[in-house]
């Protein structure tokens, strides 16, 4: 069942999202060659707790960390570890914050050092597809309009859309109805209405769309081990507008590509 939010509840999610945006900004300052991904997790957790939030992911169904860190062919749900970032890697940092009863959720994929032009193009297209999806997330449209816009754009560039993992509603819970696929038919699916808060999160692959789950029960990687990109925002739908509640502003102030 979809939990429609009051405008007061949306304001609370926005406060949570503000902490999240700044936590991403702190992490971004440390994203470079030679850094252990577990260090990034520590930065995020400390920032969130210092701002009276709780990392949404830590302990979620047993997930061990505050960030999902997904490097290169890992699509999502990778664990922070002793792995040191190296020149030519890409790294997706996904984070959620729980604050005053409400979750927010966003993700960003970074290139490390010299990344091949074809992979940079994948990152940029995935980031662009997120905003094309958001443009469709308006009252009166349907869920399928979001996925259709994302799928059409990235497939025209030769990329593929992961099917098994999707965006989601969120609020008092990290994952609520409805599911928000990154593929779909125009005019299909659940109607979008004022009060809905959803996370839109395209996961786009350079090669096959097929994925594999590692034996750790979490890490999802591409079946062909080619790179995958992931960007995410939490958005709120109002009668006459849609507001992006999370922000990549603090990331993009210190990290440009
Ligand atoms: Mg996320
Ligand atoms: Mg999410």
């Amino acid at each position: 069942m979809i939990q429609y939010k009051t405008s007061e509840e949306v304001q609370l999610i926005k406060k949570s999202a503000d902490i999240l945006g700044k936590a991403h900004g702190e992490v971004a300052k440390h994203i470079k060659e030679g850094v252990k991904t577990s260090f990034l997790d520590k930065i995020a957790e400390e920032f969130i707790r210092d701002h009276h939030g709780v990392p949404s992911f830590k302990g979620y169904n047993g997930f061990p960390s505050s960030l999902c860190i997904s490097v290169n062919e890992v699509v999502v749900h990778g664990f922070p570890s002793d792995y040191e970032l190296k020149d030519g890697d890409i790294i997706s940092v996904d984070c959620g914050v729980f604050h005053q009863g409400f979750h927010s959720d966003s993700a960003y994929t970074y290139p490390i050092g010299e990344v091949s032009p074809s992979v940079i193009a994948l990152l940029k297209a995935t980031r662009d597809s997120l905003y094309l999806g958001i443009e469709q997330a308006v009252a009166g449209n349907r869920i399928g309009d979001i996925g259709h816009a994302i799928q059409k754009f990235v497939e025209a560039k030769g990329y593929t859309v992961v099917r098994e993992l999707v965006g989601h509603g969120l609020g008092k819970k990290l994952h609520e109805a409805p599911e928000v696929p990154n593929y779909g038919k125009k005019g299909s699916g659940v109607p979008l209405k004022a009060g809905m808060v959803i996370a839109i999160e395209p996961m786009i692959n350079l090669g096959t769309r097929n994925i594999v789950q590692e034996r750790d029960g979490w890490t999802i990687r591409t079946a062909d081990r080619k790179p995958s990109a992931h960007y995410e925002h939490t958005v709120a739908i109002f009668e006459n507008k849609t507001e992006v509640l999370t922000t990549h502003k603090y990331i993009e102030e210190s990290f440009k590509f």
Side-chain angles (χ1 to χ4, degrees), residues 143-144 146-148 150-151 155 161-166 181-185:
I143 282 288
I146 298 171
H148 178 75
I150 293 168
Q151 181 180 19
E155 286 186 351
V161 178
V162 172
R163 300 295 202 278
E164 295 85 348
L165 299 146
V166 295
N182 298 300
Y183 59 92
K185 289 197 173 67

Side-chain angles (χ1 to χ4, degrees), residues 57 94 105-106 166-168 170 174-175 199-201 230 232:
F57 301 170
D94 191 355
D105 189 4
S106 75
V166 295
H168 50 94
L170 71 168
L174 178 60
H175 294 112
I200 302 175
E201 50 178 315
H230 177 218
E232 177 180 28

Side-chain angles (χ1 to χ4, degrees), residues 103-195:
H103 293 277
S104 54
D105 189 4
S106 75
Y108 200 88
T109 304
Y110 301 80
I112 308 299
E114 288 291 313
V115 169
S116 75
S118 64
V119 176
I120 292 287
L122 170 73
L123 300 188
K124 288 183 171 171
T126 305
R127 189 170 57 182
D128 289 346
S129 78
L130 168 61
Y131 292 97
L132 291 172
I134 291 170
E135 266 177 32
Q136 295 299 318
V138 293
N141 273 4
R142 288 175 179 261
I143 282 288
D145 293 312
I146 298 171
H148 178 75
I150 293 168
Q151 181 180 19
K152 193 175 149 204
F153 179 73
V154 301
E155 286 186 351
K157 293 178 180 294
Y159 308 132
T160 61
V161 178
V162 172
R163 300 295 202 278
E164 295 85 348
L165 299 146
V166 295
H168 50 94
L170 71 168
K172 288 180 178 162
K173 292 188 179 153
L174 178 60
H175 294 112
E176 297 182 354
E179 292 194 340
V180 184
N182 298 300
Y183 59 92
K185 289 197 173 67
K186 242 182 178 164
S188 70
V190 173
L192 299 173
K193 292 181 184 166

Side-chain angles (χ1 to χ4, degrees), residues 4-30:
Y4 296 92
K5 278 77 184 177
T6 64
S7 46
E8 290 75 20
E9 288 174 325
V10 173
Q11 285 313 306
L12 290 172
I13 299 173
K14 199 174 172 178
K15 286 185 84 174
S16 165
D18 184 56
I19 299 168
L20 174 56
K22 289 171 179 161
H24 269 295
E26 287 306 304
V27 170
K29 290 177 190 166
H30 299 278

